[in-house]
Amino acid sequence: MNAPCPLPRDSLDPALAAAPGAPPVEWRASGGLVDYEAAVAFMEARVARIAAGEAPECVWLLEHPPIYTAGTSAKESDLLDPRFPVFRTGRGGQFTYHGPGQRVAYVMLDLTRRRRDARAFVCGLESWLISTLADFGVAGERREARVGVWVKRPDKPRGLAGEIAEDKIAAIGVRLRQWVSFHGIALNVAPDLSHFSGIAPCGVRDAHLGVTSLADLGVDAGMAEVDAALLRNFAQIFGSAQTA
């Protein structure tokens, strides 16, 4: 008997609030640029404590210095110009870029307390980003064959088969350990988009598919405004969070 096909992410319920009475998620935001290896070390330790019931769940917002990271599906051929340090990481996905002007949110949630459904979790992260972008007048969309959040660009050249151009505005790469998540999302607020040219972002090479940011779309939003929108929309999907 053939296994049933998984439901499209659009049809999944993205709500993953914790059970009533659960403590709020700890919400942290760091100023300046945070070293990538230090961030991973923090996540590793925090995830272990969450899994052991010794620490609350946590979302950590930050910016990194310019780096490339390679997920578990990364292909060496997609590293086109290693002009910045390259870090191999255990998250899902392929190559991505992190740097100033990009809001990274490391999401450390216990899905045992919520729902043990990895695809619904990814759907929830996408819905969180889409709702946040809507607050700035940007229509973000998910694509079943491409994880992350995309915006249509009718102002750019179409694909070879007439496909409308699309740009990725937010990336998602997560890992689960004992059903506790880590790594997370990266939303392009106002990074240097030329830095993405050193990789094939998430393995995408089609000429009509690129990257964009709020600034590139003409949205003048500061990081504090973006953080406030992320916090507000996080609560709609995952439940309450409390600033540390």
Side-chain angles (χ1 to χ4, degrees), residues 27 128 131-136 224-241:
W27 188 269
W128 175 29
S131 297
T132 297
L133 291 168
D135 285 355
F136 297 97
E225 292 177 83
V226 172
D227 288 354
L230 284 167
L231 177 57
R232 182 169 56 251
N233 288 285
F234 179 88
Q236 302 303 313
I237 305 293
F238 299 104
S240 63

Side-chain angles (χ1 to χ4, degrees), residues 107-121:
V107 182
M108 292 157 270
L109 300 182
D110 185 354
L111 298 192
T112 297
R113 306 180 197 179
R114 297 166 179 273
R115 186 170 13 127
R116 287 189 173 191
D117 187 329
R119 294 185 76 248
F121 177 56

Side-chain angles (χ1 to χ4, degrees), residues 200-218:
C202 300
V204 176
R205 291 174 177 266
D206 297 292
H208 69 290
L209 301 178
V211 291
T212 191
S213 66
L214 288 175
D216 183 51
L217 296 172

Side-chain angles (χ1 to χ4, degrees), residues 163-226:
E163 309 97 326
I164 191 169
E166 296 182 346
D167 284 343
K168 192 172 193 175
I169 194 168
I172 296 174
V174 295
R175 184 178 180 182
L176 297 175
R177 180 180 295 159
Q178 295 180 274
W179 286 101
V180 179
S181 67
F182 58 123
H183 297 282
I185 66 171
L187 173 60
N188 296 333
V189 180
D192 184 339
L193 295 179
S194 70
H195 290 178
F196 284 89
S197 64
I199 56 173
C202 300
V204 176
R205 291 174 177 266
D206 297 292
H208 69 290
L209 301 178
V211 291
T212 191
S213 66
L214 288 175
D216 183 51
L217 296 172
V219 178
D220 182 15
M223 204 62 80
E225 292 177 83
V226 172

Side-chain angles (χ1 to χ4, degrees), residues 136-153:
F136 297 97
V138 174
E141 300 179 4
R142 64 170 55 87
R143 292 290 178 263
E144 189 63 27
R146 299 182 245 125
V147 173
V149 176
W150 297 76
V151 294
K152 293 177 180 176
R153 300 300 304 267

Side-chain angles (χ1 to χ4, degrees), residues 28-95:
R28 303 166 61 100
S30 293
L33 301 180
V34 178
D35 176 78
Y36 182 75
E37 291 178 306
V40 171
F42 174 88
M43 280 193 290
E44 292 275 357
R46 185 59 175 259
V47 164
R49 293 181 64 212
I50 293 170
E54 298 171 353
E57 298 170 299
C58 179
V59 173
W60 184 16
L61 282 71
L62 51 80
E63 292 173 85
H64 286 305
I67 59 170
Y68 296 129
T69 67
T72 54
S73 302
K75 300 176 182 176
E76 289 303 314
S77 59
D78 287 336
L79 181 60
L80 308 177
D81 176 13
R83 71 188 78 166
F84 303 122
V86 179
F87 294 93
R88 311 291 165 174
T89 176
R91 65 162 173 79
Q94 302 183 52
F95 275 103

